[in-house]
Amino acid sequence: MVSSLNVIDVSRVTPSDSSESLTLPLTFFDLIWYKLHPVERVIFYRLTDATRPFFDSVIVPNLKSSLSSSLSHYLPLAGKLVWDSLDKKPTLVYSQNDAVSFTIAESKADFSLLTGNKPFPTTELYPLVPELRTTDESASAVSFQVTLFPNQGFCVAVAAHHAVLDGKTTTMFLKSWAYTCKLQQDQTVNAPLPQDLTPIYDRTVIKDPNDIETEVMNHWKSKLEIISDGNVKSLKILPTPEPSPDVVRFTLDLTREDIQTLRERLKRESSASSSPKELRLSTFVVTFSYAFTCLVRARGGDPKRPVGYVFSVDCRSLLDPPIPSNYFGNCLSASFNMKLTAETFMGEEGFLNAARMVSDSVEELDETVAFNIRKIFAAYPSLPPGAQLISASGSTRFGVYGLDFGWGKPERVAIVSIDQGEVISMADGRDGIGGVELGFSLKKHEMDNLIDLLPEGLKI
């Protein structure tokens, strides 16, 4: 049963300094996402002082005023995507008096359940996420919601249009907002935004020597002619299937020691195998490989069934010259291996097999990954029906548990949109000392299997 939610207010927040207008063209990195589901994050803060009067008089006013200040540095977020009839692609436009939607609500849900380590119905998170408005003519860039859990805490949620910003840019903005809000409460005025949180809008840093942009738009045109009315210029997000009502969420917190245990296990198994090879055992390789293996085993079924993996690659540092880390927009590609079978990961060497493959995928990353869009488009249609394709969302490098708005660090950060497919959400651990948080969303019977499997590899 979905928890009851009382919407207190829906308002518009404008940038505090919005004298100028701004137009940003979309790059091929952005256009890949223009019809796809937004990325939805909910950031929970435990605060037993969070009574309704304190929420109304302190938390909400501080969040709204600091959001307004932060938007003055991130004007495109208050704008919207539009598509002029004479243009070949959509454009992100901010005009004076544009604003973001800001919802204030109160929930009767169990805060401890939503932030804890026990599975719960994924539908419990949906009321906490704001709607992102999209129509045929325009699409909002972001929307926000702040929800009170009386005497337990509150959460800040964002729905972000993926054609406007990727996870790195979203996190950069959230850090800017938190930084401003905390300073405001400390009564530190006019402190400049740190350089690493100040966005760069220069689109000329993204080169497209092979005209990938045209290829992306042609791909969408052919796809939309099959799955919709063929109106390529409609900015309405494509509908996504409703997740089954028996889908549950679960979060696994891996400590730095847990990750080292998994790393040492891989080293032992690799050196004892018939083909020993030194692996790139980064935190990502170890944790994603482990989660991937456990998910394949949790599904069970025919050992010959097709499986695969895909993970996003931030291309900023891979391109030559590198793209500044504070570049505003998308700069993502993907690495994938889609022609595998479940039996490779079901035996004793399943984890090692996964780590070898993911390690090789990471080792192979270079500038060319940014331009492999054609391969990505070709790979998805070639997936056999019923294939288990496991992907990763988020990053262990975003530092989301440093998002302190003035009331302490988050209790839990959830990526709600992992419900759109078999996706593992990944984040740095709340402990701040090298742990990792893995989020899963599965049908209950598979989740029960997964929860039984996950502790097995952590035994020394």
Side-chain angles (χ1 to χ4, degrees):
M1 174 180 158
V2 175
S3 305
S4 58
L5 185 88
N6 173 34
V7 174
I8 300 167
D9 182 52
V10 180
S11 60
R12 298 169 76 251
V13 176
T14 57
S16 58
D17 178 9
S18 57
S19 56
E20 58 182 286
S21 10
L22 186 65
T23 298
L24 278 182
L26 300 191
T27 72
F28 70 88
F29 284 122
D30 303 316
L31 292 167
I32 293 168
W33 307 97
Y34 91 98
K35 296 289 286 183
L36 298 180
H37 194 274
V39 180
E40 301 159 336
R41 286 177 175 81
V42 182
I43 309 157
F44 293 91
Y45 294 89
R46 184 175 294 281
L47 189 68
T48 54
D49 294 340
T51 60
R52 178 64 187 272
F54 185 77
F55 182 69
D56 289 342
S57 63
V58 177
I59 295 175
V60 170
N62 272 293
L63 286 172
K64 282 184 83 168
S65 59
S66 57
L67 175 59
S68 177
S69 297
S70 300
L71 286 171
S72 66
H73 297 279
Y74 288 79
L75 291 178
L77 293 186
K80 51 186 174 287
L81 289 172
V82 294
W83 195 331
D84 187 276
S85 59
L86 299 177
D87 290 342
K88 292 194 295 185
K89 62 180 180 178
T91 307
L92 181 57
V93 176
Y94 168 76
S95 305
Q96 250 186 304
N97 300 320
D98 278 350
V100 298
S101 173
F102 188 83
T103 301
I104 304 163
E106 183 175 340
S107 173
K108 294 179 181 176
D110 183 346
F111 184 90
S112 294
L113 177 67
L114 301 182
T115 58
N117 292 98
K118 292 182 179 177
F120 63 87
T122 194
T123 50
E124 292 277 347
L125 292 174
Y126 295 166
L128 308 177
V129 176
E131 179 187 357
L132 187 74
R133 179 173 167 74
T134 68
T135 67
D136 287 334
E137 291 76 31
S138 67
S140 298
V142 289
S143 57
F144 299 95
Q145 180 171 322
V146 179
T147 305
L148 170 69
F149 300 81
N151 303 113
Q152 300 177 82
F154 67 97
C155 67
V156 176
V158 56
H161 200 302
H162 211 327
V164 175
L165 63 179
D166 60 14
K168 191 172 181 64
T169 300
T170 304
T171 308
M172 182 172 68
F173 172 74
L174 290 171
K175 287 179 178 178
S176 167
W177 182 14
Y179 172 86
T180 304
C181 190
K182 198 167 189 297
L183 283 185
Q184 191 173 272
Q185 291 172 79
D186 295 339
Q187 298 183 330
T188 306
V189 291
N190 299 325
L193 203 58
Q195 188 67 36
D196 63 328
L197 300 182
T198 304
I200 290 174
Y201 296 113
D202 182 7
R203 290 302 205 232
T204 64
V205 299
I206 303 292
K207 311 298 181 190
D208 185 10
N210 303 317
D211 196 18
I212 297 171
E213 179 181 297
T214 298
E215 199 165 319
V216 171
M217 296 314 296
N218 287 340
H219 167 81
W220 272 119
K221 186 173 186 297
S222 60
K223 189 175 178 68
L224 292 171
E225 284 170 352
I226 297 168
I227 63 175
S228 70
D229 60 5
N231 181 7
V232 182
K233 292 195 173 184
S234 168
L235 293 169
K236 193 176 286 185
I237 295 293
L238 289 173
T240 49
E242 284 288 317
S244 168
D246 66 341
V247 170
V248 295
R249 303 272 305 208
F250 173 72
T251 301
L252 176 70
D253 292 306
L254 291 172
T255 65
R256 184 172 60 178
E257 291 72 28
D258 290 333
I259 297 165
Q260 191 57 30
T261 297
L262 293 172
R263 187 178 282 118
E264 293 301 326
R265 175 183 158 189
L266 288 170
K267 287 178 181 176
R268 286 195 309 271
E269 291 183 7
S270 179
S271 60
S273 70
S274 55
S275 54
K277 176 190 173 185
E278 188 170 338
L279 302 176
R280 183 191 184 103
L281 297 179
S282 65
T283 296
F284 170 78
V285 170
V286 172
T287 54
F288 179 67
S289 302
Y290 188 63
F292 171 79
T293 307
C294 290
L295 281 168
V296 172
R297 290 174 174 172
R299 171 78 61 90
D302 180 4
K304 300 289 185 186
R305 65 186 176 82
V307 301
Y309 64 79
V310 57
F311 57 87
S312 296
V313 179
D314 183 356
C315 299
R316 287 169 175 82
S317 62
L318 294 174
L319 291 167
D320 183 18
I323 306 300
S325 65
N326 52 345
Y327 168 80
F328 178 99
N330 285 278
C331 197
L332 293 177
S333 187
S335 178
F336 55 89
N337 193 338
M338 297 188 182
K339 296 185 176 178
L340 309 170
T341 54
E343 64 184 339
T344 308
F345 312 101
M346 286 179 157
E348 284 188 12
E349 290 197 347
F351 178 30
L352 177 60
N353 290 336
R356 281 174 171 156
M357 293 176 188
V358 177
S359 172
D360 286 347
S361 294
V362 173
E363 284 284 357
E364 290 165 5
L365 294 178
D366 58 22
E367 185 178 18
T368 60
V369 73
F371 307 108
N372 69 353
I373 309 300
R374 183 185 291 112
K375 290 181 182 177
I376 297 170
F377 285 159
Y380 279 90
S382 69
L383 277 173
Q388 184 181 16
L389 181 63
I390 296 167
S391 59
S393 179
S395 169
T396 59
R397 296 181 178 179
F398 285 164
V400 292
Y401 281 94
L403 290 170
D404 180 359
F405 286 86
W407 298 283
K409 67 181 180 180
E411 186 75 12
R412 177 71 76 202
V413 179
I415 302 179
V416 180
S417 42
I418 66 168
D419 295 337
Q420 306 299 323
E422 199 152 358
V423 188
I424 306 158
S425 69
M426 304 187 73
D428 46 296
R430 187 177 187 274
D431 59 14
I433 52 169
V436 166
E437 184 179 286
L438 301 175
F440 304 92
S441 182
L442 296 169
K443 289 186 176 181
K444 188 178 183 306
H445 70 278
E446 279 188 44
M447 189 68 85
D448 289 341
N449 293 340
L450 180 70
I451 291 171
D452 287 341
L453 285 167
L454 285 169
E456 288 299 311
L458 303 176
K459 295 175 181 174
I460 298 174

